[in-house]
Amino acid sequence: MNLDVNTLFMVTIYVEAILGLLLLFAWAQNTSIRAVAWWGFAHLIRAASVVLFGMYGAAPDLITIDLANALLFTAFAVTWTGARVFDGRPVEPVYLVTGAVLWLLVCRLPVMADAVDARALVASGIITAYTWLTAYEFWRGRSEPLVSRWPAIFMLFAHGALFLLRTPLVTLLPWSPNNAMFGSVWLTVLSFEALLFTISIAFILLAMAKERTELRHRTAAMVDPLTGISNRRAFLQDAALLAKRHSGHPRPTAVLLIDLDHFKSINDRFGHALGDRVLEIFTEAARQSIRSSDLFGRLGGEEFAAVLSDTGREKAVAVAERIREGFAQASQEVDGRPVCATVSIGVVHCEAAVLDVPELLAQADHALYHAKERGRNRVEVASLDMLLDRKDDKQPSVPTSATSVAAIGTKSAA
């Protein structure tokens, strides 16, 4: 079956316009992702360039070739700019029009007037440059876990490579004796590939925007917005996963329960804005004292927790002390105010084959209670005696199974 290039042009115009409007409509539903608007306008500009190119023979070459290609290069530049905007990089207005200006200048050179192959090579090089730059922008943002990035990178790279091979293939593929322009086998292949690329990349870019929105919603549900660490829900979910891995390969584990001392007083004296700043300072101090592989989360208010894997009792106490001392030093003066905030920390150590983080948090809470009772700004390690004392004081009951008792330390740290 022979493909009619004129028909492909018409189909391409409609497809580009429809996809452009579709992307703009999607952006109107969620204006926070501005890159979608850039990509939508890129399709509309590309549709305009194809319209002008389709007028070849009926209008001057200045319009059907020079201006049409300038619009085409601008469309690819807009797509590249959208990729930059997508990953939070600034717009480069100069580079938006660099390709179009370069093309128009080249077309005005007398030596290029009849050099069809040279002009085609320049055009292909400009398109390839913008396309590969777009792929590179997506590659630079690969740290964001978006699966749809990878097919976008592959397709952009392949599309750019095909354009780069345009001039060499022109010399190899046959020309139609009837119409040297529209009868070219290469032009037919290029038009058909461009149509498929246009459809595919539009939906991939739309999928990227949708995937990012869903990722941000999931992140918002699992991350504390003030401190940027796991919230209570995420912390307990990660702890449950850690417990499953622990059952297969048991390792000494410590749980820390941390509470900022007199935090309500800090808010009352200095205001909630400074209180939020104190929480951020504590988070940073704690992050510097624990490993990136350890679990760390905000359980609510001024209460935090950490799970230290493969950690002995003495090392766990040392980590808790580093957190306490580091925060006390960092919070002596906050935004020019003498805050001098401190924390109390309860520690429980577990060497059992079963890791029950909620139970260990309850035990660490008893140790934290004793730290508060004994003057605050201190670290206490859970012991059987203090747990029984809390039980006698009609505090919440504590499991006393052999496993639980074995998991509790017997040494306190001042």
Side-chain angles (χ1 to χ4, degrees):
M1 180 181 69
N2 294 326
L3 289 174
D4 181 8
V5 176
N6 291 304
T7 302
L8 281 174
F9 273 25
M10 292 300 297
V11 172
T12 301
I13 293 169
Y14 286 119
V15 168
E16 292 278 13
I18 291 172
L19 290 176
L21 294 173
L22 175 65
L23 287 168
L24 288 176
F25 177 77
W27 168 73
Q29 306 304 307
N30 184 7
T31 56
S32 63
I33 303 183
R34 296 183 297 116
V36 176
W38 284 89
W39 295 329
F41 283 118
H43 280 281
L44 294 178
I45 296 172
R46 199 149 41 231
S49 71
V50 177
V51 169
L52 295 182
F53 193 68
M55 296 168 60
Y56 180 79
D61 290 355
L62 179 64
I63 295 176
T64 60
I65 295 180
D66 297 353
L67 182 58
N69 276 311
L71 284 176
L72 182 63
F73 304 149
T74 302
F76 280 98
V78 171
T79 301
W80 166 64
T81 301
R84 289 181 60 82
V85 172
F86 186 74
D87 284 325
R89 301 185 184 94
V91 176
E92 299 286 355
V94 174
Y95 297 125
L96 264 174
V97 296
T98 297
V101 172
L102 177 63
W103 168 255
L104 293 175
L105 291 176
V106 167
C107 290
R108 302 280 71 80
L109 295 176
V111 71
M112 301 293 289
D114 298 321
V116 177
D117 289 348
R119 285 157 63 102
L121 183 61
V122 172
S124 300
I126 294 173
I127 291 176
T128 299
Y130 277 127
T131 304
W132 283 358
L133 281 172
T134 306
Y136 173 67
E137 293 296 339
F138 287 141
W139 171 262
R140 291 172 67 186
R142 65 189 180 279
S143 58
E144 184 181 24
L146 299 180
V147 176
S148 49
R149 277 186 187 273
W150 300 105
I153 293 171
F154 171 78
M155 289 194 63
L156 288 163
F157 180 81
H159 187 64
L162 186 59
F163 261 97
L164 194 62
L165 294 173
R166 174 179 177 176
T167 301
L169 288 177
V170 164
T171 62
L172 299 177
L173 294 174
W175 290 80
S176 168
N178 299 324
N179 190 322
M181 183 67 183
F182 291 103
S184 169
V185 173
W186 168 244
L187 188 58
T188 302
V189 172
L190 186 64
S191 301
F192 189 64
E193 185 275 337
L195 177 62
L196 293 179
F197 170 79
T198 291
I199 297 172
S200 302
I201 199 65
F203 282 100
I204 289 176
L205 295 178
L206 198 58
M208 285 179 61
K210 182 175 182 292
E211 188 178 0
R212 168 174 283 180
T213 300
E214 293 175 349
L215 176 64
R216 287 181 173 178
H217 287 166
R218 290 196 302 270
T219 301
M222 305 296 281
V223 174
D224 177 60
L226 176 63
T227 60
I229 62 175
S230 299
N231 60 16
R232 183 185 188 91
R233 175 184 175 186
F235 177 81
L236 293 177
Q237 286 186 3
D238 291 342
L241 294 176
L242 178 65
K244 289 182 180 180
R245 295 194 298 268
H246 179 89
S247 61
H249 302 281
R251 292 288 189 275
T253 302
V255 173
L256 278 58
L257 192 62
I258 310 162
D259 190 82
L260 274 66
D261 299 325
H262 302 297
F263 186 69
K264 183 179 182 302
S265 175
I266 294 175
N267 281 331
D268 292 341
R269 286 184 294 147
F270 303 107
H272 289 278
L274 192 137
D276 289 345
R277 181 73 185 118
V278 169
L279 292 174
E280 293 173 343
I281 291 174
F282 167 75
T283 302
E284 183 59 29
R287 276 176 164 170
Q288 293 177 2
S289 299
I290 63 176
R291 300 165 299 186
S292 59
S293 58
D294 294 326
L295 300 185
F296 179 49
R298 182 184 181 188
L299 301 187
E302 65 273 21
E303 189 174 57
F304 297 78
V307 179
L308 313 181
S309 301
D310 197 12
T311 302
R313 188 200 329 264
E314 292 183 0
K315 184 178 179 181
V317 173
V319 170
E321 286 289 354
R322 283 203 305 271
I323 294 174
R324 184 189 65 79
E325 293 173 358
F327 175 62
Q329 183 176 359
S331 66
Q332 286 184 359
E333 184 175 307
V334 179
D335 296 340
R337 310 293 294 275
V339 176
C340 299
T342 60
V343 293
S344 299
I345 304 176
V347 179
V348 63
H349 189 254
C350 173
E351 295 185 356
V354 177
L355 183 66
D356 189 340
V357 175
E359 178 183 325
L360 294 174
L361 283 172
Q363 296 171 9
D365 184 52
H366 293 307
L368 177 62
Y369 171 81
H370 277 264
K372 296 283 187 180
E373 287 290 304
R374 295 177 181 177
R376 294 181 170 83
N377 189 25
R378 60 188 293 122
V379 175
E380 290 286 346
V381 181
S383 65
L384 181 59
D385 291 340
M386 71 170 57
L387 296 177
L388 293 177
D389 289 343
R390 272 310 286 279
K391 187 175 180 181
D392 292 340
D393 292 338
K394 297 184 179 180
Q395 297 296 329
S397 60
V398 179
T400 56
S401 64
T403 300
S404 300
V405 171
I408 299 171
T410 59
K411 172 182 173 184
S412 298

